[in-house]
Amino acid sequence: MTRRLAALLLTASLVPAAAGAQEVLRTDRTQPGHLGPTFRAYEPPPPGHEPRLRRTESRAVYKLPNGLNGLAMRDRTLSHLCQRGAFLQQIDGLYWAASPDYRYGVAFSGGANLVDPQNRRQPGKTYFFRNQDSRCEVWIGDQAKLMPHYIGG
């Protein structure tokens, strides 16, 4: 009788497990709503987070055939601040100026592509950046003087 009881218990314990396994492992069909929506680039960020930067393509805004000679002056103070991370382009190379020897990052005094927590910017100026790291150099140019070389839109 013990053998028969053991066989009955074994059979009874296997049947519900097999039935449950069939329900859990069933993969022949999925429900239409089981996947979440695709990546949403325009949903607002969760509370407490900085807004996401919009992905934009970089573009040339100035074509400088003779480089920055006569159009901009290197600023020692802003270069030092840039090296310390206190005067930067928001997105390195978002706007740029093409010259024969180098491609400079550009930021504008109106705040376009400029991070300036100490408010060092001057109205009517354009800032050119080279090597936005510990070797950073910043040049300041007059927007009015640079207008003949402006190619951006």
Side-chain angles (χ1 to χ4, degrees):
M1 187 112 171
T2 42
R3 250 188 205 179
R4 190 171 174 192
L5 184 61
L8 258 164
L9 288 174
L10 181 63
T11 308
S13 65
L14 291 177
V15 171
Q22 287 174 351
E23 289 178 26
V24 173
L25 298 175
R26 200 175 111 204
T27 58
D28 57 336
R29 291 214 179 253
T30 58
Q31 295 185 12
H34 82 283
L35 293 175
T38 57
F39 174 71
R40 293 182 232 162
Y42 300 106
E43 71 182 19
H49 289 82
E50 300 243 348
R52 285 186 239 148
L53 295 176
R54 193 169 35 123
R55 179 170 163 30
T56 55
E57 299 300 321
S58 67
R59 63 180 185 195
V61 290
Y62 291 109
K63 185 172 182 178
L64 309 169
N66 299 324
L68 293 175
N69 296 337
L71 297 173
M73 299 280 296
R74 184 178 180 277
D75 188 284
R76 189 176 185 158
T77 305
L78 293 180
S79 295
H80 182 67
L81 287 172
C82 181
Q83 292 165 9
R84 297 180 63 204
F87 189 86
L88 302 167
Q89 299 171 84
Q90 188 172 8
I91 300 173
D92 188 15
L94 175 63
Y95 302 118
W96 52 277
S99 72
D101 59 340
Y102 199 76
R103 181 175 154 170
Y104 297 93
V106 176
F108 298 95
S109 61
N113 200 36
L114 184 64
V115 175
D116 182 20
Q118 296 179 4
N119 203 19
R120 297 287 186 122
R121 62 181 165 216
Q122 302 166 11
K125 302 292 182 185
T126 300
Y127 300 96
F128 296 92
F129 293 83
R130 182 173 173 183
N131 300 326
Q132 188 163 302
D133 55 16
S134 63
R135 305 165 293 155
C136 186
E137 296 179 61
V138 179
W139 283 266
I140 300 176
D142 243 351
Q143 286 180 351
K145 207 178 203 183
L146 290 160
M147 274 317 283
H149 304 283
Y150 185 76
I151 58 171

